[in-house]
Amino acid sequence: MREIKFRSWDIVKKEMDGNPMVDGFINDIFECFPPEFILEQYTGLKDKNGKEIYEGDIVKYTVHAGESCSEENRPDLWHIGVIAFGEGEIDASDYEEYSVTMLGFYIKNDSEYPAPPSLCECTVIEIIGNIHQNPEILKKGDSKNGS
């Protein structure tokens, strides 16, 4: 069973609190937490450097394995996206039988390549920032991914 924990982004102070104090039951967290904070849940996974992956993290990832698929050898196989929680859909309109709707943690991106249906399908994933402190990474990623 994965550990359930959160971090919070302080909208006013513009800083991350890696360990928000939350009293009460999990169901009450979002109702009692001050509105100037954005809560982001831990996925239960760590990136290639051992950093905990949370909602709102910007990640660089690939679903391919092997030395020949390294970022240096095949930059076209690497993508940038944002960790999200909720319902996501893989656009596989050319292959209707492979279209997927999922609920849980997934990688949201705007590239031509659809994000994998789950984080577990990534062979390598690395946190390169978060949406609050590093939004410019997504703009760089868009041009890299052809969007």
Side-chain angles (χ1 to χ4, degrees):
M1 181 172 224
R2 78 175 172 83
E3 184 177 8
I4 297 176
K5 59 184 182 177
F6 296 85
R7 69 180 182 192
S8 64
W9 173 253
D10 186 323
I11 297 169
V12 176
K13 293 181 182 176
K14 303 221 181 288
E15 62 185 26
M16 193 69 72
D17 177 0
N19 189 18
M21 297 303 291
V22 179
D23 294 326
F25 297 101
I26 294 295
N27 294 339
D28 297 331
I29 288 175
F30 297 104
E31 292 177 16
C32 69
F33 214 71
E36 63 269 13
F37 291 92
I38 298 171
L39 281 180
E40 297 171 331
Q41 189 173 177
Y42 173 48
T43 64
L45 301 172
K46 295 182 179 179
D47 78 350
K48 72 176 197 170
N49 299 311
K51 285 182 69 175
E52 294 177 340
I53 303 172
Y54 284 83
E55 288 178 87
D57 281 337
I58 300 171
V59 295
K60 180 171 34 172
Y61 68 96
T62 186
V63 295
H64 301 278
E67 183 61 34
S68 63
C69 298
S70 70
E71 187 174 11
E72 294 76 29
N73 292 335
R74 293 292 307 273
D76 58 311
L77 298 178
W78 288 77
H79 308 280
I80 292 175
V82 176
I83 302 299
F85 181 84
E87 187 174 325
E89 187 171 338
I90 301 302
D91 178 16
S93 51
D94 292 339
Y95 306 98
E96 187 174 320
E97 65 272 18
Y98 296 111
S99 293
V100 176
T101 300
M102 70 222 119
L103 178 64
F105 291 103
Y106 65 99
I107 299 175
K108 180 170 52 173
N109 68 23
D110 295 326
S111 73
E112 293 175 12
Y113 179 83
S118 80
L119 300 183
C120 298
E121 291 195 29
C122 295
T123 54
V124 181
I125 188 166
E126 179 181 15
I127 297 169
I128 57 174
N130 67 64
I131 59 173
H132 309 291
Q133 296 168 307
N134 316 100
E136 72 281 355
I137 293 173
L138 294 174
K139 291 180 183 10
K140 290 180 198 172
D142 286 345
S143 63
K144 177 186 176 226
N145 288 330
S147 297

